Amino acid sequence: MTSIGGAEMVDWNLAVATATRLVRPGPDISREEAREVVAELRRHAKSAEEHVRSFTRMIPEGSEPEDTPVLVVDRAGWIRANVAGFRELLRPLLEKMQDRRGNSPGGAVLGAVGGKVTGVELGMLLSFLASRVLGQYETFAPAGRDLPGSADGGGRLLLVAPNIVHVERELDVDPHDFRLWVALHEETHRTQFTGVPWLRDHLQGEIQSFLDETDVDPMTVLERLREAAQSLAGGRPEGEGGEDGGRSLVEIVQTPAQREILGRLTAVMSLLEGHADYVMDGVGPEVVSSVAEIREKFQQRRARGASRLDQALRKLLGLDAKLRQYRDGERFVRAVVDEVGMDGFNRVWTSPNTLPTKAEIAAPADWIARVHRKAEP
């Protein structure tokens, strides 16, 4: 635990307990059906690996990058895995807040409030997210007894079985096709990080630079968590936005230096998410017979949105931005592949310097001109 003035900043164990207690129950399914779903998702993860590698050509034939585990988890398992990841990733920021505690009036209040309140509020946010994530490649995944990771801590792939079953039923699509379709998307993320050895360290460096530049009173972070938690609990009056105008947590804490870093991170995440969507749909027609129906219904589901409360919390957490990353990134990848082919697109993975900028994500021709012109003899 990171402590401030003797009080824990975040009670991580309480965050797990709170989220696990509050998370919505999964779909009604028998024990036998659950075992079948888990077994099928594992099979699909394995077959997706072959399909994605063949389609993307990111991993040279005959080479074998370091393996990362595939875990089929329930909502509680997803919560535990993400708390472990958050704890590791946020450690430098929490230590910085601890150092500032003595000089910050807000830090004194935060020390009095203690980590138990923060743990409960974080748990409430995780309970909201835990019923919505279909799958996730955990880039920064510390290995644990119940949650194995790769040998060098390089990541693990999570498939959240109850959420996949819930959505396939909601969309009324072929469950076997849908499970493979989801596996293709998540396997693409695993291929991105195992096939591009420098990508993980680059991304971690950018995130740590963002956290290092955080120049915000600790009380502000606590207040943003409280706003999100109150929105989830219905404790904040509808339409009450305050001077922040409904900005996301990330937008609220930005300094000028962070905005520059966040622009680069946004470009990378748009590339990764858009590439996964492109691959998922590119491989789909060959192996998922009902891919057109699945894609259409899934897009309609995204477009419909949810309740006003759900939409407000999505905005606060920055999930709306993630949906834009899918769309913008997929358009970038498609435009580049159409122009220079898959091998030409794969130059994006050469080094950090060949990653697209945020502006180039919106203007793929500019990236083509920059990278391919430089590559010409």
Side-chain angles (χ1 to χ4, degrees), residues 286-352:
E286 297 294 327
V287 298
V288 181
S289 58
S290 60
V291 65
E293 177 192 4
I294 291 174
R295 166 56 76 182
E296 180 181 1
K297 290 184 175 181
F298 197 77
Q299 293 287 49
Q300 289 174 353
R301 181 178 183 269
R302 279 181 179 172
R304 284 196 304 269
S307 68
R308 295 184 66 180
L309 173 62
D310 190 80
Q311 290 171 353
L313 191 55
R314 283 177 178 275
K315 174 64 178 176
L316 185 58
L317 294 174
L319 300 182
D320 286 346
K322 185 174 179 65
L323 293 179
R324 289 195 297 273
Q325 288 171 3
Y326 285 110
R327 295 192 296 267
D328 296 345
E330 197 275 340
R331 282 195 293 265
F332 171 84
V333 175
R334 186 172 300 280
V336 172
V337 174
D338 287 348
E339 183 68 23
V340 297
M342 184 63 75
D343 291 334
F345 165 78
N346 280 340
R347 289 184 182 176
V348 78
W349 311 117
T350 303
S351 75

Side-chain angles (χ1 to χ4, degrees), residues 50-71:
E50 300 171 4
H51 295 311
V52 169
R53 291 187 181 185
S54 175
F55 184 82
T56 64
R57 301 201 288 275
M58 290 179 63
I59 299 176
E61 190 174 348
S63 66
E64 192 60 37
E66 183 174 2
D67 192 25
T68 54
V70 177
L71 307 180

Side-chain angles (χ1 to χ4, degrees), residues 130-261:
S131 62
R132 285 157 173 79
V133 177
L134 300 181
Q136 174 185 357
Y137 183 77
E138 276 201 291
T139 314
F140 315 108
R145 183 178 59 184
D146 300 326
L147 292 164
S150 64
D152 64 350
R156 56 180 167 238
L157 179 61
L158 305 179
L159 295 172
V160 190
N163 296 350
I164 293 173
V165 172
H166 171 78
V167 174
E168 71 191 24
R169 290 179 177 179
E170 179 184 337
L171 298 180
D172 190 25
V173 294
D174 182 281
H176 310 293
D177 282 1
F178 184 75
R179 294 165 195 173
L180 177 55
W181 189 69
V182 171
L184 289 169
H185 181 100
E186 303 308 332
E187 176 57 38
T188 302
H189 287 316
R190 186 164 72 144
T191 298
Q192 290 163 348
F193 284 94
T194 57
V196 185
W198 54 264
L199 183 58
R200 178 180 180 271
D201 288 342
H202 172 72
L203 190 59
Q204 184 175 33
E206 291 281 61
I207 293 172
Q208 291 304 329
S209 294
F210 183 90
L211 296 177
D212 288 343
E213 289 292 336
T214 297
D215 186 22
V216 62
D217 186 273
M219 195 60 192
T220 303
V221 176
L222 180 61
E223 179 61 26
R224 301 316 173 197
L225 285 173
R226 180 169 291 109
E227 288 179 8
Q230 289 175 346
S231 294
L232 179 59
R236 191 179 184 197
E238 189 174 320
E240 180 183 313
E243 63 180 11
D244 295 313
R247 288 182 293 163
S248 71
L249 284 167
V250 171
E251 291 171 322
I252 288 168
V253 302
Q254 282 184 66
T255 64
Q258 284 178 308
R259 282 194 288 271
E260 182 178 344
I261 299 170

